[in-house]
Amino acid sequence: MAMTLVHQIEETARFTAVHAASAPEDAASVPWLVTGAVLMVQQACTLALSEAGAELPAMAGPAELVARVADAEHLAQPYTAPLKPAHHRALDAVIAARNSVMHPRPDGLAIDARALPDGLEVATGLVRHLLLTQPVRPSMVSDAEAASIRHSLDLIDMSVDFWRTVLA
């Protein structure tokens, strides 16, 4: 089954939005939320770097891909992602949570949900920047795909705002 990377991002964003909505009330959605958020970021970074003609490492991790899209050497201005060190740290917390899901331990899974909202907002902001606000090639995402991705990102952000009130 062939599926374009943009379509994969659209589906991942939709999946992540569903789990973002469930996470405040259902802890079982948190592992899926962080997994979807990190995958969505990886997909968006890969698409942007690919469209820019940048060399992609064979097995790049999410933090490396994010570092590349935030570096004008890999993704020229104005496409470079405007990330500050605090953004990288916030996203690192989501990546660490995803890593703990992907690499199970005998004693189970323990994710500190309080560390996730800032990183989830960075994830949606990064995807929004790379695909919707400042895409390398404006035609790389159709209007319908952009509307769907935008809707899912807005739902994730709204859920994260609500989640902050639950965690407070």
Side-chain angles (χ1 to χ4, degrees), residues 126-161:
L126 180 58
V127 173
R128 190 175 280 109
H129 172 80
L130 295 173
L131 300 182
L132 307 175
T133 306
Q134 197 65 57
V136 172
R137 188 174 50 83
S139 62
M140 71 186 197
V141 180
S142 74
D143 289 343
E145 291 164 332
S148 174
I149 292 167
R150 183 176 291 106
H151 178 70
S152 293
L153 295 175
D154 289 346
L155 289 174
I156 295 166
D157 286 340
M158 187 171 38
S159 296
V160 168
D161 284 345

Side-chain angles (χ1 to χ4, degrees), residues 109-124:
L109 179 64
I111 296 175
D112 181 6
R114 293 168 297 170
L116 300 177
D118 289 343
L120 292 167
E121 282 185 344
V122 172
T124 60

Side-chain angles (χ1 to χ4, degrees), residues 3-16 35-51 56 60-63 65-66 69 75 91 98 123 126-128 130-131 140-141 149 153 156:
M3 185 184 292
T4 67
L5 185 51
V6 174
H7 186 70
Q8 290 175 50
I9 296 166
E10 186 179 7
E11 293 299 317
T12 304
R14 190 174 296 123
F15 171 87
T16 305
T35 300
V38 171
L39 178 58
M40 179 177 65
V41 165
Q42 287 178 283
Q43 291 168 328
C45 290
T46 298
L47 180 62
L49 290 166
S50 175
E51 290 291 332
L56 290 168
L65 288 170
V66 169
V69 298
L75 193 59
L91 194 54
R98 190 285 313 247
L126 180 58
V127 173
R128 190 175 280 109
L130 295 173
L131 300 182
M140 71 186 197
V141 180
I149 292 167
L153 295 175
I156 295 166

